[in-house]
């Protein structure tokens, strides 16, 4: 465990002891410092001692700015599962896709790591009061751990933070200060308050315990991946790192800590490479993504964020972006942006496909993943880990819209004698739930994985009744009996191929009007293309199911 932590100044290079009581560089006064440890000693002991330690955040105490491996404030933080995503993997064509489920922390977000390490460090230093600015999750996590440690917390929150989250911060006994204005303005007010009162302020990327806490995500991740795949085949390292790490970002603190962790692991010879990172922002507040596209190492602040995803509304990432810019340039990666609508759609898809309800910020990460797969930036053979940064509780109204539930209304009884039996009344009230017509889509393909993939894609797009047929004869029969609103047809099938099915459909007046999208795995000859002309709505190659054009075509045909 780290009894004597050194800090190196990023500006003047000075190396001196670190204490939360004196966070600035003693030589130049810079607040941009990074912790340093005895990496040689850690590399020698970790392979032996980690096997006997509990799988939680504190198993990595030698590389954390605390002196105790089991702080009294611990609530089981860290040690979150690395989940496979079989259905999403199939949809995206990523067989090695995993989800780091940070929803399972004590306050349901990955910010529990930040609060646990920082509060532990502050308690060891004797601090009893602190200040934090937050868009929600950070304040909730800090409030819980501060309560456990007996530290008074002043939590400054932007007025855009949902009231439910503000109430959760307050229930832990924190002093909530609601600031009418942007998150960046809220940070300024909190900093001035801390300065006037002489209180410790969590400064994000400039706070050593905060950055160090995020390293534990990377440490856990490589252990979990190694447990699944074993060490690299060439034997150059005992642990296997992923090829990509994907996370939604606002200020960029999390990825900054992750990079430091992978650098330390690589320096100690525990992994053979540093993963590429995909950092995803909301389009309504994407200063880092904009600067990245322009090749700039300094991001121009977004003065007025235009996003409903409050936790990602940091308009000015400051120097953190510059540090990430150089890290991405050196080790590979990308910064991308997605719309709120794409993020909310990704949330729905993840819930429907994998049974995981995540916060909107995590939806941004999964929407970004989909975008990068479509752009062929992330490749099928690569190991990819996405950070599910938090749970979606409570669900915010704008995410689901108005038609998120179906209602059952039991009519009041007029007189006891006229009342129907209870079961009849309930059945009558429920009957309208089945009255609504959901568009029917018939998928005709002899390859079961292809049918399953199309089913998943359609389920992600909306409420459709999906019918499957395993061959051309079955497809014709179901087209006649089910009268689908759309038919998705594979051309290459044995016995009765797609051309024969299409001809039979168009020759029958009962099925001639069914719109057809044809999918094929082979390039068609000019003669084959001529046979399809005027008979189908669209011709697609298999593998294009995630294209925007395909999804828009489905929506347009089904209404």
């Amino acid at each position: 465990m780290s009894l004597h932590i050194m800090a190196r100044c990023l500006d003047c290079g000075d190396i001196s002891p670190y204490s939360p009581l004196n966070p600035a560089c003693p030589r130049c006064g810079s607040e941009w410092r990074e912790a340093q440890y005895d990496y040689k000693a850690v590399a020698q002991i970790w392979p032996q001692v980690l096997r006997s330690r509990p799988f939680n955040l504190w198993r990595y105490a030698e590389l954390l700015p605390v002196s105790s491996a089991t702080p009294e404030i611990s609530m089981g933080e860290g040690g979150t599962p690395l989940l496979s995503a079989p259905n999403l993997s199939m949809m995206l064509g990523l067989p090695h896709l995993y989800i780091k489920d940070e929803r399972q922390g004590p306050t349901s977000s990955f910010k529990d790591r930040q609060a646990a390490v920082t509060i532990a460090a502050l308690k060891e230093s004797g601090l009893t009061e602190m200040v934090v600015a937050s868009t929600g999750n950070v304040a909730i996590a800090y409030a819980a751990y501060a309560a456990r440690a007996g530290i008074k917390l002043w939590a400054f929150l932007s007025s855009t933070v949902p009231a439910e989250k503000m109430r959760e911060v307050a229930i832990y006994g924190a002093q909530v200060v609601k600031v009418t204005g942007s998150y960046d303005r809220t940070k300024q007010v909190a900093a001035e308050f801390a300065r006037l009162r002489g209180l410790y302020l969590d400064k994000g990327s400039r706070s050593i315990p905060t950055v160090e806490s995020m390293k534990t995500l990377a440490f856990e991740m490589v252990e979990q991946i190694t447990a699944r795949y074993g060490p690299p085949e060439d034997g150059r390292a005992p642990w296997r790192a992923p090829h990509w790490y994907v996370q939604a970002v606002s200020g960029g603190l999390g990825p900054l800590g992750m990079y430091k962790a992978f650098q330390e692991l690589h320096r100690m010879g525990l992994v053979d490479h540093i993963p590429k990172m995909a950092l995803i922002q909301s389009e309504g507040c994407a200063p880092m993504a904009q600067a990245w596209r322009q090749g700039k190492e300094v991001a121009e602040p977004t003065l007025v964020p235009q996003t409903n995803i409050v936790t990602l509304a940091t308009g000015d990432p400051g120097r953190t972006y510059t540090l990430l810019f150089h890290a991405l340039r050196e080790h590979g990666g990308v910064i991308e942006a997605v719309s709120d609508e794409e993020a909310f759609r990704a949330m729905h898809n993840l819930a429907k496909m994998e049974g995981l309800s995540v916060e909107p910020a995590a939806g941004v990460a999964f929407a970004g993943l989909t975008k990068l797969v479509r752009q062929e930036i992330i490749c099928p053979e690569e190991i990819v880990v996405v950070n599910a940064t938090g749970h979606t509780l409570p669900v915010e109204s704008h995410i689901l819209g108005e038609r998120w539930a179906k209602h059952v209304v039991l009519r009041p009884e007029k007189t006891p004698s006229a009342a129907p039996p209870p079961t009849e009344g309930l059945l009558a009230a429920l009957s309208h739930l089945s009255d609504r017509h959901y568009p029917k889509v018939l998928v005709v393909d002899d390859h079961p994985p292809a049918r399953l993939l199309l089913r998943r894609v359609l389920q992600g797009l909306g409420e459709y009744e999906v019918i499957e047929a395993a061959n051309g004869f079955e497809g014709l029969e179901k087209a006649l009996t089910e009268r689908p609103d759309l038919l998705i047809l594979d051309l290459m099938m044995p016995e009765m191929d797609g051309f024969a099915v299409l001809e039979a459909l168009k020759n029958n007046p009962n099925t001639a009007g069914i719109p057809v999208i044809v999918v094929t795995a082979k390039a068609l000859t000019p003669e084959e293309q001529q046979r399809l002309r005027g008979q189908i709505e669209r011709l697609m190659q298999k593998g294009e199911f995630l294209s925007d054009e395909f999804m828009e075509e489905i929506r347009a045909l089904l209404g």
Side-chain angles (χ1 to χ4, degrees):
M1 61 196 69
S2 302
L3 295 174
H4 302 288
I5 304 147
M6 306 302 288
R8 183 181 71 87
C9 178
L10 300 184
D11 290 306
C12 73
D14 175 77
I15 299 177
S16 52
Y18 168 75
S19 167
L21 300 174
N22 300 293
C25 173
R27 177 187 292 178
C28 71
S30 172
E31 295 179 327
W32 289 92
R33 304 166 80 199
E34 66 174 15
Q36 293 191 334
Y37 307 88
D38 186 345
Y39 297 109
K40 183 177 181 180
V42 176
Q44 290 175 346
I45 67 172
W46 265 16
Q48 288 76 39
V49 301
L50 290 186
R51 299 171 187 170
S52 60
R53 291 180 178 176
F55 192 66
N56 59 33
L57 180 154
W58 300 107
R59 70 194 270 108
Y60 311 109
E62 287 83 5
L63 294 186
L64 293 175
V66 292
S67 61
S68 173
T70 54
E72 294 179 356
I73 65 167
S74 178
M75 293 191 284
E77 54 281 343
T80 56
L82 187 72
L83 305 177
S84 62
N87 298 316
L88 191 61
S89 292
M90 180 177 293
M91 175 180 168
L92 296 176
L94 294 177
H96 308 294
L97 174 63
Y98 296 96
I99 299 170
K100 186 63 170 162
D101 191 6
E102 288 295 290
R103 306 172 311 148
Q104 299 195 33
T107 71
S108 302
S109 88
F110 80 132
K111 297 299 184 180
D112 286 322
R113 297 175 184 270
Q114 177 180 341
V117 173
T118 300
I119 293 294
L122 297 185
K123 187 173 177 63
E124 288 182 349
S125 299
L127 291 172
T128 59
E129 196 169 355
M130 71 167 294
V131 178
V132 68
S134 172
T135 55
N137 288 348
V138 169
I140 292 171
Y142 269 102
Y145 281 92
R148 195 164 175 84
I151 292 176
K152 181 175 181 178
L153 177 69
W154 294 85
F156 286 72
L157 294 98
S158 166
S159 56
T160 57
V161 173
E164 293 87 351
K165 290 194 173 184
M166 289 192 182
R167 287 195 291 269
E168 188 169 356
V169 176
I171 201 171
Y172 291 112
Q175 180 63 60
V176 176
V177 182
K178 181 179 177 181
V179 179
T180 301
S182 67
Y183 174 52
D184 292 303
R185 179 58 181 154
T186 301
K187 289 193 294 183
Q188 295 171 1
V189 174
E192 180 62 15
F193 177 82
R195 186 188 67 82
L196 292 173
R197 295 285 295 267
L199 301 177
Y200 178 90
L201 171 69
D202 186 299
K203 297 181 179 179
S205 298
R206 290 175 291 163
S207 297
I208 281 181
T210 299
V211 175
E212 296 300 287
S213 69
M214 293 300 161
K215 299 189 310 183
T216 59
L217 261 170
F219 296 156
E220 291 177 11
M221 191 186 306
V222 296
E223 284 201 85
Q224 290 168 317
I225 290 174
T226 304
R228 291 176 180 267
Y229 292 94
E233 288 78 7
D234 57 17
R236 291 191 298 169
W239 285 349
R240 184 187 294 265
H243 297 99
W244 281 93
Y245 171 72
V246 184
Q247 183 188 317
V249 292
S250 182
L253 165 66
L256 195 64
M258 295 289 287
Y259 264 123
K260 188 169 187 292
F262 284 118
Q263 288 172 333
E264 291 175 342
L265 291 170
H266 192 260
R267 177 177 178 177
M268 294 186 292
L270 297 177
V271 298
D272 62 359
H273 72 277
I274 295 175
K276 292 173 284 189
M277 289 198 185
L279 312 182
I280 317 298
Q281 294 201 287
S282 169
E283 285 179 352
C285 188
M288 289 196 281
Q290 292 169 7
W292 177 261
R293 283 194 294 267
Q294 297 166 358
K296 296 179 178 179
E297 61 178 323
V298 176
E300 182 177 342
T302 298
L303 300 180
V304 183
Q306 300 292 325
T307 175
N308 287 316
I309 305 175
V310 178
T311 54
L312 298 184
T314 299
D316 186 4
R319 187 172 178 175
T320 304
Y321 165 74
T322 302
L323 296 172
L324 290 172
F325 174 85
H326 291 293
L328 288 167
R329 283 292 181 90
E330 181 178 358
H331 302 293
V334 66
I335 305 178
E336 186 56 87
V338 298
S339 68
D340 286 7
E341 290 73 18
E342 288 172 315
F344 298 154
R345 190 184 310 137
M347 290 173 64
H348 283 283
N349 287 346
L350 191 62
K352 292 176 182 178
M353 291 186 177
E354 303 296 348
L356 302 178
S357 176
V358 299
E359 66 175 356
V364 166
F366 284 96
L369 170 69
T370 301
K371 192 170 187 178
L372 295 177
V373 170
R374 292 180 189 172
Q375 296 171 354
E376 298 184 348
I377 293 174
I378 294 179
C379 302
E381 69 276 5
E382 295 179 305
I383 299 175
V384 181
V385 177
V386 185
N387 187 346
T389 48
H391 202 284
T392 191
L393 294 178
V395 175
E396 297 166 32
S397 59
H398 58 267
I399 296 172
L400 294 176
E402 296 179 359
R403 295 169 56 186
W404 63 273
K406 300 174 179 65
H407 296 273
V408 175
V409 180
L410 295 177
R411 296 178 180 176
E413 301 175 2
K414 294 183 179 180
T415 63
S417 59
T423 52
E424 290 184 17
L426 180 58
L427 291 174
L430 290 173
S431 63
H432 79 281
L433 295 179
S434 60
D435 291 343
R436 183 179 170 190
H437 170 72
Y438 295 103
K440 289 183 181 179
V441 182
L442 174 58
V443 178
V444 184
D445 196 308
D446 65 320
H447 194 45
R451 297 200 303 271
L452 178 58
L453 174 57
L454 279 166
R455 174 180 289 275
R456 292 299 185 189
V457 171
L458 290 165
Q459 287 173 339
L461 285 176
E463 292 182 310
Y464 303 126
E465 181 181 348
V466 182
I467 306 162
E468 297 181 23
N471 55 62
F473 294 107
E474 184 183 356
L476 268 181
E477 180 183 352
K478 288 190 174 180
L480 282 167
T481 58
E482 298 289 346
R483 300 292 177 88
D485 299 284
L486 173 66
L487 192 149
I488 300 178
L489 177 65
D490 179 28
L491 283 183
M492 301 300 113
M493 295 183 292
E495 298 183 27
M496 187 179 196
D497 65 14
F499 291 103
V501 172
L502 186 62
E503 184 178 358
L505 286 172
K506 296 305 179 182
N507 287 334
N508 188 326
N510 293 318
T511 57
I514 299 174
V516 178
I517 293 178
V518 163
V519 294
T520 180
K522 67 182 285 287
L524 300 185
T525 65
E527 292 76 15
E528 290 172 329
Q529 294 181 27
Q530 181 62 37
R531 291 178 65 184
L532 297 176
R533 191 164 290 123
Q535 305 295 310
I536 64 174
E537 306 300 320
R538 185 177 179 85
L539 172 65
M540 296 193 65
Q541 293 290 320
K542 286 188 175 180
E544 294 181 340
F545 297 145
L546 291 178
S547 71
D548 291 327
E549 292 81 4
F550 174 66
M551 294 182 177
E552 291 304 320
E553 186 78 31
I554 293 288
R555 292 194 180 96
L557 290 171
L558 296 178

